């Protein structure tokens, strides 16, 4: 009996060790990026400001995007953030990054539990968890700020686990959490429910619950996107869902549905080709995604097509988009693939009869996925900053300015001041009611600049505007060191005079 308890204890330590190991890696990517001023106004600055407002029991005025949206919920319908806004008082501008890391670790542990409850093959659940932790979608998401769909995605393994166990109370809880994490997650949930229907077509209990999930998810999605968000409105006169950017399908969701059914072959081609002949930067981007999917375990979807059904809206929102960034491996746009890939692959591996063959295949396929992720951290198509992802390289930690001096300079700005800051500074200064992204000065009391991460081709314009600020009669230079500039609006200078 004592040997059994010792074995279980050591096994628990092993699982905790895996989670801790990847938690350190994820922190080295995300938290180091933030400390090194590699996070941005869009999107961490935007979300940090929203979190700050919720922590003060206010709705965000959305000053960063006030020219486009009257409020946060008209941009993305995210109801999760108020739930963890109290953490702002503990972790400050790092709060959301920490939440995102913990959510991913929670999702990985969900993969472990999912397979631990379904197989007696030793170490297969642990390898499945490692496979999940090494997939490229996680590293791409962590290298670019915070996004709520990452958090929502990490509830999927738990939804599938409790649904399969017929614990419908807990599966419904996670279903709701995913729904409210972001408006487009509801459409994904509808297709996950359809996949569950196909998986459990002979089980009346599961079939009934999955059908209810599918119907509720579709209704919620259509209601939020077509009624609630447009009624909240945008600054423009057009009251429609602002994030529908799929001109190849039509001008709105209804036209897109018509195109899908009336021109299915043309729609299928969009999964593989660059429709913009005038932009060669999009050539090969979609093909790269398909190859990475294949080497990360995507071949399992051919043998387990029920899981492919679950990914239909993810493929669609990526590859039908007008924005080639969405087609690529970059940012948060691949995170939804991660849990479905791991579950599909290891569900397939569970069917192998012998322990030895299962372990050899599982280990080698996980190593292949890890190598694929590493190779795409090193180099990939599209607009990509490898410095943000290469946690194993000195370049990730180095900056050509003093981090401590910039942080000390930011302390010169009063906490209640209205600030206009450069994009890489906004996430560190967004703990205030009004924050703007330079050069949108608006009614700012302070302008804060860091001569780093200027977009390609904009350095000359930045230099000209900086020279004007340095000699401006309206602004007083209170800090000019270490590539950092802080300007304070002079006393008696009105907002009207700045605008004119």
């Amino acid at each position: 009996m004592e040997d059994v308890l010792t074995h279980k204890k050591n096994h628990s330590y092993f699982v905790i060790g895996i989670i801790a190991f990847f938690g350190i890696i994820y922190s080295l990517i995300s938290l180091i990026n933030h400390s090194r001023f590699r996070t941005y106004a869009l999107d961490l600055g935007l979300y940090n400001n929203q979190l700050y407002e919720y922590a003060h029991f206010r709705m965000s005025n959305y000053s960063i995007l006030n020219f486009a949206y009257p409020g946060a919920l008209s941009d993305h319908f995210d109801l999760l953030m108020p739930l963890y806004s109290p953490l702002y008082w503990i972790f400050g501008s790092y709060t959301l990054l920490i939440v995102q890391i913990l959510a991913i670790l929670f999702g990985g542990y969900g993969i472990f539990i999912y397979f631990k409850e379904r197989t007696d093959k030793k170490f297969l659940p642990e390898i499945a968890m490692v496979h999940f932790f090494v997939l490229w979608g996680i590293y791409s998401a962590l290298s670019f700020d915070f996004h709520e769909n990452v958090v929502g995605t990490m509830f999927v393994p738990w939804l599938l686990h409790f649904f399969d166990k017929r614990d419908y109370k807990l599966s419904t809880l996670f279903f709701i959490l995913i729904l409210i994490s972001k408006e487009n997650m509801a459409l994904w949930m509808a297709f996950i429910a359809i996949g569950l229907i196909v998986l459990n077509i002979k089980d009346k209990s599961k079939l009934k619950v999955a059908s209810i999930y599918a119907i509720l998810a579709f209704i919620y999605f259509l209601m939020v996107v077509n009624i609630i968000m447009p009624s909240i409105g945008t600054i423009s006169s057009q009251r429609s869902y602002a994030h529908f950017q799929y001109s190849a399908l039509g001008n709105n969701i209804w036209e897109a549905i018509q195109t899908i059914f009336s021109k299915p072959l043309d729609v299928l081609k969009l999964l593989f080709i660059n429709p913009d002949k005038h932009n060669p930067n999009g050539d090969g981007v979609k093909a790269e995604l398909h190859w990475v999917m294949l080497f990360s375990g995507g071949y399992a979807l051919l043998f387990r097509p029920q899981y492919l059904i679950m990914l239909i809206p993810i493929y669609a929102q990526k590859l039908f988009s007008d924005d080639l960034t969405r087609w690529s491996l970059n940012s948060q746009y691949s995170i939804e693939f991660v849990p479905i890939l791991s579950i599909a692959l290891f569900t397939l591996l569970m069917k192998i009869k012998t322990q030895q063959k299962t372990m050899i295949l599982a280990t080698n396929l996980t190593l292949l996925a890890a190598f694929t992720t590493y190779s795409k951290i090193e180099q990939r198509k599209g607009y990509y900053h490898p410095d943000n992802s290469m946690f194993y390289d000195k370049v990730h930690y180095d900056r050509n300015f003093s981090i401590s001096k910039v942080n000390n300079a930011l302390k010169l700005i009063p906490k209640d001041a209205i600030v206009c800051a450069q994009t890489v500074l906004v996430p560190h200064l967004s703990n205030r009611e009004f924050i703007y992204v330079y050069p949108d000065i608006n009614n700012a009391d302070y302008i804060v600049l860091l001569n780093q991460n200027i977009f390609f081709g904009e350095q000359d314009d930045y230099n000209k505007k900086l020279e004007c600020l340095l000699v401006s009669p309206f602004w007083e230079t209170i800090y000019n060191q270490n590539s950092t500039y802080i300007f304070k609006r002079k006393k008696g200078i009105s907002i009207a005079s700045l605008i004119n």
Side-chain angles (χ1 to χ4, degrees):
M1 182 66 179
E2 187 176 342
D3 290 341
V4 172
L5 292 175
T6 302
H7 174 74
K8 286 185 176 180
K9 186 176 181 181
N10 290 337
H11 183 263
S12 297
Y13 285 149
F14 179 60
V15 172
I16 292 170
I18 293 172
I19 294 172
F21 174 76
F22 283 99
I24 291 169
I25 290 177
Y26 297 161
S27 298
L28 289 176
I29 297 172
S30 183
L31 304 186
I32 291 297
N33 272 339
H34 188 49
S35 71
R36 297 300 187 265
F37 295 94
R38 288 200 188 96
T39 51
Y40 311 96
L42 299 177
D43 294 316
L44 184 60
L46 186 74
Y47 285 126
N48 271 350
N49 181 245
Q50 190 177 338
L51 186 76
Y52 170 83
E53 293 288 86
Y54 284 140
H56 287 80
F57 303 101
R58 298 191 298 255
M59 288 297 294
S60 172
N61 58 47
Y62 231 49
S63 57
I64 291 174
L65 287 177
N66 65 357
F67 55 86
Y69 302 98
L73 296 182
S74 62
D75 182 10
H76 286 301
F77 203 75
D78 159 26
L79 303 179
L80 274 187
M81 194 172 294
L83 300 180
Y84 39 74
S85 61
L87 294 174
Y88 158 81
W89 298 105
I90 304 173
F91 301 111
S93 67
Y94 287 83
T95 301
L96 295 175
L97 301 178
I98 293 171
V99 166
Q100 185 168 249
I101 291 169
L102 292 176
I104 293 170
L105 297 177
F106 181 65
Y109 185 63
I111 294 291
F112 169 76
I113 293 297
Y114 184 91
F115 287 101
K116 184 175 182 293
E117 296 283 322
R118 287 160 183 81
T119 181
D120 56 358
K121 289 187 169 66
K122 293 180 180 178
F123 298 112
L124 189 65
E126 290 85 349
I127 299 173
M129 179 170 61
V130 172
H131 179 269
F132 174 93
F133 282 147
V134 302
L135 290 180
W136 91 96
I138 289 175
Y139 297 81
S140 293
L142 288 171
S143 67
F144 177 44
D145 292 13
F146 165 88
H147 296 90
E148 201 67 88
N149 65 309
V150 178
V151 177
T153 296
M154 296 305 131
F155 297 138
V156 169
W158 296 97
L159 165 65
L160 299 182
H161 168 66
F162 288 116
F163 176 85
D164 196 50
K165 299 285 286 185
R166 288 186 171 83
D167 189 340
Y168 298 132
K169 289 183 179 179
L170 284 176
S171 68
T172 300
L173 171 64
F174 285 105
F175 173 75
I176 292 170
L177 288 173
I178 298 167
L179 280 189
I180 67 175
S181 64
K182 199 175 180 182
E183 71 280 355
N184 63 331
M185 298 292 277
L187 181 61
W188 186 31
M189 283 303 96
F191 278 84
I192 283 183
I194 292 170
L196 289 174
I197 290 171
V198 178
L199 277 168
N200 301 280
I201 196 68
K202 295 181 180 180
D203 188 316
K204 291 183 179 180
S205 170
K206 290 181 179 179
L207 190 62
K208 178 181 177 182
V209 175
S211 299
I212 292 172
Y213 285 170
I215 293 169
L216 289 178
F218 269 123
I219 291 173
Y220 181 84
F221 173 73
L222 293 173
M223 182 176 67
V224 169
V225 170
N226 290 299
I227 299 174
I228 296 177
M229 293 181 72
S231 69
I232 296 172
T234 61
I235 299 303
S236 68
S237 59
Q238 181 183 4
R239 290 194 173 268
S240 60
Y241 182 52
H243 294 285
F244 186 88
Q245 298 166 354
Y246 301 90
S247 60
L249 299 181
N251 296 316
N252 53 56
I253 293 173
W254 306 113
E255 288 185 13
I257 293 172
Q258 292 175 10
T259 302
I260 289 169
F261 285 103
S262 63
K263 300 178 181 178
L265 292 179
D266 291 341
V267 171
L268 284 174
K269 287 180 184 178
L270 289 175
L271 294 173
F272 304 96
I273 66 168
N274 172 15
D276 187 354
K277 305 299 182 184
H278 303 291
N279 186 3
N281 292 327
D283 294 346
V285 174
K286 293 180 180 180
E288 182 179 49
L289 171 68
H290 295 310
W291 281 112
V292 169
M293 279 287 293
L294 184 66
F295 290 129
S296 298
Y299 37 82
L301 299 173
L302 301 175
F303 299 96
R304 304 290 289 172
Q306 301 94 331
Y307 295 103
L308 182 59
I309 291 172
M310 297 181 183
L311 291 176
I312 287 174
I314 308 305
Y315 274 115
Q317 74 177 13
K318 277 182 69 69
L319 301 181
F320 296 160
S321 174
D322 298 336
D323 182 4
L324 66 84
T325 301
R326 289 177 179 264
W327 311 345
S328 72
L329 307 176
N330 294 339
S331 308
Q332 77 279 14
Y333 299 116
S334 294
I335 194 65
E336 294 90 349
F337 289 120
V338 174
I340 304 302
L341 275 177
S342 290
I343 290 174
L345 176 61
F346 281 81
T347 299
L348 191 63
L349 292 175
M350 275 178 20
K351 303 297 182 183
I352 299 173
K353 292 183 179 180
T354 65
Q355 170 79 19
Q356 185 179 15
K357 286 182 179 180
T358 303
M359 290 302 99
I360 291 173
L361 262 177
T363 302
N364 287 331
L365 293 177
T366 298
L367 288 173
L368 176 61
F371 177 76
T372 301
T373 296
Y374 167 74
S375 67
K376 291 307 169 183
I377 288 176
E378 289 285 307
Q379 186 178 10
R380 65 179 60 170
K381 292 183 180 294
Y383 186 69
Y384 175 57
H385 283 297
D387 297 2
N388 289 32
S389 304
M390 298 172 69
F391 64 93
Y392 49 81
D393 196 291
K394 188 173 180 285
V395 70
H396 179 64
Y397 304 90
D398 286 347
R399 295 295 263 166
N400 60 355
F401 58 89
S402 170
I403 301 294
S404 60
K405 287 182 179 179
V406 174
N407 284 321
N408 287 332
L410 298 184
K411 294 176 183 177
L412 298 173
I413 303 167
K415 291 183 179 180
D416 59 347
I418 300 173
V419 174
C420 169
Q422 194 174 332
T423 182
V424 293
L425 296 175
V426 170
H428 298 264
L429 292 168
S430 54
N431 57 332
R432 61 194 69 244
E433 188 172 359
F434 293 96
I435 178 86
Y436 304 103
V437 186
Y438 183 77
D440 179 22
I441 296 173
N442 215 303
N443 61 332
D445 302 313
Y446 289 81
I447 299 175
V448 194
L449 305 178
L450 178 63
N451 191 11
Q452 301 290 325
N453 289 86
I454 311 299
F455 287 117
F456 180 76
E458 295 183 1
Q459 188 68 54
D460 289 343
D461 183 57
Y462 172 87
N463 292 338
K464 290 177 182 177
K465 289 178 179 177
L466 177 59
E467 290 173 7
C468 291
L469 283 171
L470 288 168
V471 298
S472 172
F474 304 126
W475 296 94
E476 173 188 359
T477 305
I478 64 171
Y479 190 89
N480 180 0
Q481 297 178 40
N482 192 43
S483 300
T484 307
Y485 303 86
I486 301 178
F487 302 94
K488 180 181 179 181
R489 179 154 50 94
K490 291 182 178 180
K491 291 183 179 179
I493 300 298
S494 67
I495 303 300
S497 64
L498 292 178
I499 296 173
N500 295 330

